[in-house]
Amino acid sequence: MEKYLYIALFAPLVGSLFATLFANTPKKLFTGIFTSALLGVSMIASLNLLFHVFTSQEVIHVRMLDWIVIGNIDIPFGFIVDPISATMMCVVTIVSTMVHIHSIGYMDHDKSFNRFFAWLSAFVFSMMILIMSDNFAGLFIGWEGVGLCSWGLIGFWYHKADVQRSKDMYASPYSTLSPYSSVSPGYAANEAFIMNRVADLGMLVGIFFIYWNIGSLQYDVVFANIGDLSHGLIVAIAAFLFIGAMGKSAQFPFNQWLANAMEGPTPVSALIHAATMVTAGVYLVIRANEIFTAVPEVGYVIASLGAFVAIFAASQALVATNIKKIIAFSTLSQLGYMFVAAGLGAYWVALFHLATHAFFKSVLFLGAGNVMHATNNEINIKNMGGLHKHMKATSIIMTIASVALAGIFPLSGFFSKDLILEVAFGAHAYIIWAVLWVTAGLTAFYSFRLIMYVFHGEENFKKFGYHPHETYPFVIAAMTPLAVLAIIAGWFKAPFVEMITTALPELEIHVSTTTLYTLIAITTAMALGGIIFAVFKFKKDGTYFSQALQHRFCYKLLANQYYIPHFLENVINKPYLRMSQFSWKEIDLKVVDVIVDGIAKMVYKTGQESRPIQSGNLSKALTLMVIGLTVLLVVGIFFGLAK
């Protein structure tokens, strides 16, 4: 089975290197086809590995080569395929393959077609390194790799002008934004990259603590010895690791980059911001479950933060009009659900929801891409409407995914999301349960608000001269497997539990059967209520709130994302910019440059003054040598007498 491991891991790398050869050349269709085919090969290999792990319960562990061997430091380049990594490998490769195929159609007319596939496949390779590594150092390499690739993909259209910015090169992209405006792709890429690097520092500190106290970064060694450390030290390690997870999964206060990252091509959003990179933080907590299990107080903080982020993001989606940002806020909200499960010790439940969510959320993003293509890249849902009869396949697929997102039986979201609510109730975390319950209603409402605005009601797109049409048949074909998985993935709960509990703690939900069915009923009622309200609210017209209500504080608060962008701008960005400008003008130019330039001038002047010595006159040179020798003798005699 080792060969399948190498195929799954390196096939995306080969595809990326191949696409890189043609990165600066005009579009070559075979680039997209070849990279997609290699992702398909990686997917097949991953499914084979998952089947092997499930049937044999064997963990595949490969030490490929020595990597860092310095003194007592011995960190190999090794990989592990166990139930956790095998599940993640299948999720990543299935979604990645479909996204690659979809991208052939979506990026059809883009002049940087080849460069896009080079970045996209490189991202998948980095993600595979992250999830397959058998040690924290390898995980961190993959972690930084996906960060770099996401920077390249979010800022892929870096040449686009940010029309909101003034001509001042130091002007903030937030300075003139309305609640519905966007930043430039370049700014969004830098914002995501920098925010993640700040959080990654915390993760790096946690990794250093692990090595300093245990002497190894291998998962098996670390988890076997973590119990020997003091409680306070384990708390510190868990907290620092979670800081890294917060950044990658865009948890508060590192949440701002995720919505702005929608400036990248839509397939990027489907792959990175729905199914892979943003779930890496959840994967880290699941993988390091033995560390977090030892400090339940840290776990409860994680769960509380997850519940806050769930309703925090869902509330912003209620009034957003950017089709991709609505789905992005939904992703952030569902990540909150996953962290609640992981924080309460239900690690396999978090992984289960991660998998089901990847399928229906990625297809929602891909559907949004179809809609944007059909309406000349329109992103405001209020400028759409009535697209169902023009894009029936996309409409049906997005509706199925929205039902799954809302958690309606028998679609996949029902099985995973309801489990998280049951876990919260069984753990007596009633406030967290109530927050997630309300969030379930909000999720159903904003999901079908989007569906009704885009596919039903008045055809508002006619005002703008759009001529919507369905996308290529092969694009719909690529979305169909994801839509099918959004329906049936939850049905595999029993075999998934059987496999995953060999690697993760089993879960006992201390809730009676009557209470359990009651919880399911009221959660489903909340979700159905949200759907029904949205359908009837937007069935006939596209109005949402009355003009009077739009001027009220709550609406403005949500539309302005709780004024967090403005806070970051006025409290952090602008003061930092002023400090930087002051340091440049008053310290760098007037102090540092003066000292450095002064030393250089002094050395140069000394050389200029000494140049006449090298005249080539032998008698003059001998005279200078005698003078120098005399000076040395005098100095030597002086110091000798002084002693």
Side-chain angles (χ1 to χ4, degrees):
M1 298 307 293
E2 186 176 331
K3 64 180 180 180
Y4 288 111
L5 184 152
Y6 290 130
I7 292 171
L9 176 62
F10 291 110
L13 176 62
V14 174
S16 177
L17 295 174
F18 177 80
T20 303
L21 295 175
F22 307 98
N24 293 322
T25 63
K27 173 195 168 185
K28 297 185 185 298
L29 185 61
F30 65 79
T31 302
I33 295 173
F34 185 72
T35 53
S36 300
L38 284 174
L39 258 296
V41 170
S42 180
M43 176 184 70
I44 293 170
S46 297
L47 289 170
N48 268 319
L49 289 167
L50 178 66
F51 181 75
H52 176 77
V53 169
F54 175 71
T55 54
S56 69
Q57 296 187 353
E58 176 192 353
V59 174
I60 303 169
H61 199 168
V62 174
R63 183 177 176 127
M64 186 175 173
L65 49 86
D66 290 330
W67 180 24
I68 303 175
V69 182
I70 306 172
N72 294 327
I73 301 176
D74 182 9
I75 303 175
F77 204 61
F79 303 98
I80 186 171
V81 178
D82 62 357
I84 303 172
S85 57
T87 301
M88 287 293 295
M89 288 165 64
C90 289
V91 170
V92 169
T93 53
I94 290 171
V95 174
S96 299
T97 302
M98 302 311 153
V99 168
H100 271 69
I101 297 172
H102 182 280
S103 299
I104 296 174
Y106 188 87
M107 303 297 291
D108 185 35
H109 302 295
D110 197 285
K111 64 180 182 180
S112 298
F113 181 90
N114 303 327
R115 178 168 63 90
F116 178 81
F117 281 94
W119 275 116
L120 204 64
S121 292
F123 171 85
V124 178
F125 171 67
S126 298
M127 190 69 195
M128 296 294 276
I129 290 285
L130 189 158
I131 59 182
M132 295 174 68
S133 177
D134 67 350
N135 62 80
F136 283 100
L139 179 145
F140 189 74
I141 294 299
W143 192 276
E144 295 305 300
V146 295
L148 174 63
C149 294
S150 70
W151 172 81
L153 288 165
I154 295 169
F156 185 77
W157 288 324
Y158 61 88
H159 53 277
K160 284 187 177 181
D162 183 359
V163 296
Q164 286 82 19
R165 297 189 71 174
S166 70
K167 293 181 180 179
D168 181 1
M169 65 178 292
Y170 295 110
S172 163
Y174 288 112
S175 57
T176 58
L177 290 189
S178 72
Y180 311 109
S181 298
S182 300
V183 299
S184 69
Y187 182 90
N190 290 336
E191 180 183 44
F193 189 82
I194 293 169
M195 275 197 174
N196 274 274
R197 298 297 75 70
V198 172
D200 290 353
L201 177 61
M203 179 181 174
L204 200 56
V205 171
I207 292 174
F208 283 154
F209 278 173
I210 290 173
Y211 185 81
W212 187 264
N213 291 278
I214 295 179
S216 176
L217 293 178
Q218 295 294 114
Y219 293 147
D220 51 357
V221 177
V222 172
F223 300 150
N225 293 279
I226 194 69
D228 297 335
L229 305 183
S230 67
H231 185 77
L233 185 56
I234 301 175
V235 168
I237 290 172
F240 280 117
L241 289 179
F242 181 61
I243 290 173
M246 288 167 64
K248 198 65 77 184
S249 295
Q251 297 297 283
F252 186 86
F254 299 104
N255 60 289
Q256 191 58 39
W257 69 265
L258 182 59
N260 288 336
M262 297 302 105
E263 293 303 310
T266 305
V268 172
S269 303
L271 179 62
I272 295 181
H273 307 123
T276 53
M277 189 183 86
V278 293
T279 61
V282 181
Y283 171 77
L284 173 62
V285 176
I286 294 170
R287 173 56 75 185
N289 68 88
E290 299 196 36
I291 296 176
F292 290 94
T293 300
V295 282
E297 61 271 35
V298 175
Y300 195 79
V301 171
I302 293 173
S304 300
L305 179 63
F308 167 74
V309 171
I311 196 166
F312 170 77
S315 62
Q316 295 178 62
L318 296 176
V319 300
T321 57
N322 182 318
I323 185 171
K324 288 176 66 178
K325 284 195 174 184
I326 293 171
I327 304 173
F329 286 133
S330 175
T331 298
L332 186 55
S333 181
Q334 296 306 305
L335 287 167
Y337 273 87
M338 297 174 207
F339 276 115
V340 167
L344 294 177
Y347 300 104
W348 72 258
V349 176
L351 185 60
F352 187 43
H353 190 51
L354 185 157
T356 60
H357 171 266
F359 301 132
F360 54 73
K361 187 55 62 65
S362 59
V363 83
L364 276 174
F365 270 117
L366 295 180
N370 293 354
V371 171
M372 291 169 61
H373 250 206
T375 56
N376 295 353
N377 290 320
E378 177 61 66
I379 58 174
N380 192 332
I381 59 175
K382 292 185 177 181
N383 297 336
M384 300 174 187
L387 291 176
H388 175 76
K389 65 181 181 181
H390 303 281
M391 307 178 67
K392 288 185 179 178
T394 298
S395 174
I396 292 170
I397 289 174
M398 288 190 71
T399 302
I400 290 172
S402 296
V403 174
L405 174 59
I408 304 300
F409 181 85
L411 276 68
S412 61
F414 167 81
F415 295 94
S416 57
K417 186 187 287 187
D418 263 45
L419 263 176
I420 297 174
L421 286 157
E422 293 163 20
V423 167
F425 196 89
H428 307 295
Y430 300 121
I431 295 177
I432 291 177
W433 175 87
V435 170
L436 297 183
W437 180 69
V438 172
T439 303
L442 298 181
T443 301
F445 176 76
Y446 68 64
S447 298
F448 276 82
R449 169 181 174 252
L450 184 151
I451 295 296
M452 297 303 294
Y453 256 128
V454 173
F455 296 108
H456 304 282
E458 297 181 8
E459 296 183 340
N460 297 317
F461 62 84
K462 290 183 177 179
K463 303 174 187 176
F464 305 94
Y466 301 148
H467 301 284
H469 53 84
E470 189 58 274
T471 185
Y472 302 110
F474 75 85
V475 172
I476 297 298
M479 296 170 62
T480 302
L482 296 175
V484 171
L485 286 168
I487 298 172
I488 68 171
W491 304 353
F492 296 96
K493 173 187 168 185
F496 175 78
V497 173
E498 179 186 343
M499 177 189 71
I500 204 67
T501 49
T502 62
L504 293 173
E506 293 187 26
L507 176 67
E508 293 185 13
I509 302 176
H510 302 288
V511 177
S512 66
T513 303
T514 304
T515 304
L516 182 61
Y517 284 119
T518 303
L519 291 174
I520 293 173
I522 61 177
T523 303
T524 302
M526 173 64 92
L528 287 173
I531 293 174
I532 293 169
F533 182 65
V535 169
F536 279 93
K537 181 70 178 175
F538 306 112
K539 185 177 181 180
K540 293 183 178 179
D541 58 66
T543 59
Y544 182 50
F545 285 118
S546 65
Q547 291 296 321
L549 188 58
Q550 290 188 25
H551 293 290
R552 292 189 178 179
F553 175 74
C554 288
Y555 183 90
K556 289 183 177 180
L557 186 67
L558 297 179
N560 285 280
Q561 300 177 44
Y562 293 96
Y563 292 95
I564 290 176
H566 302 276
F567 172 83
L568 293 174
E569 174 62 18
N570 295 305
V571 177
I572 298 178
N573 293 355
K574 284 184 177 178
Y576 183 80
L577 177 60
R578 286 195 292 266
M579 182 183 71
S580 300
Q581 290 173 326
F582 173 82
S583 299
W584 169 54
K585 292 178 181 178
E586 304 299 329
I587 299 176
D588 194 32
L589 293 180
K590 296 182 179 179
V591 179
V592 176
D593 282 0
V594 168
I595 293 173
V596 173
D597 291 346
I599 293 172
K601 288 177 181 178
M602 182 182 69
V603 172
Y604 180 78
K605 191 173 181 180
T606 303
Q608 286 286 84
E609 295 295 329
S610 303
R611 184 173 295 172
I613 296 175
Q614 301 295 331
S615 62
N617 188 307
L618 183 59
S619 61
K620 192 173 184 179
L622 289 171
T623 303
L624 290 173
M625 288 175 61
V626 171
I627 293 173
L629 182 61
T630 303
V631 170
L632 288 174
L633 288 171
V634 170
V635 171
I637 293 170
F638 174 78
F639 279 104
L641 292 173
K643 262 188 174 181

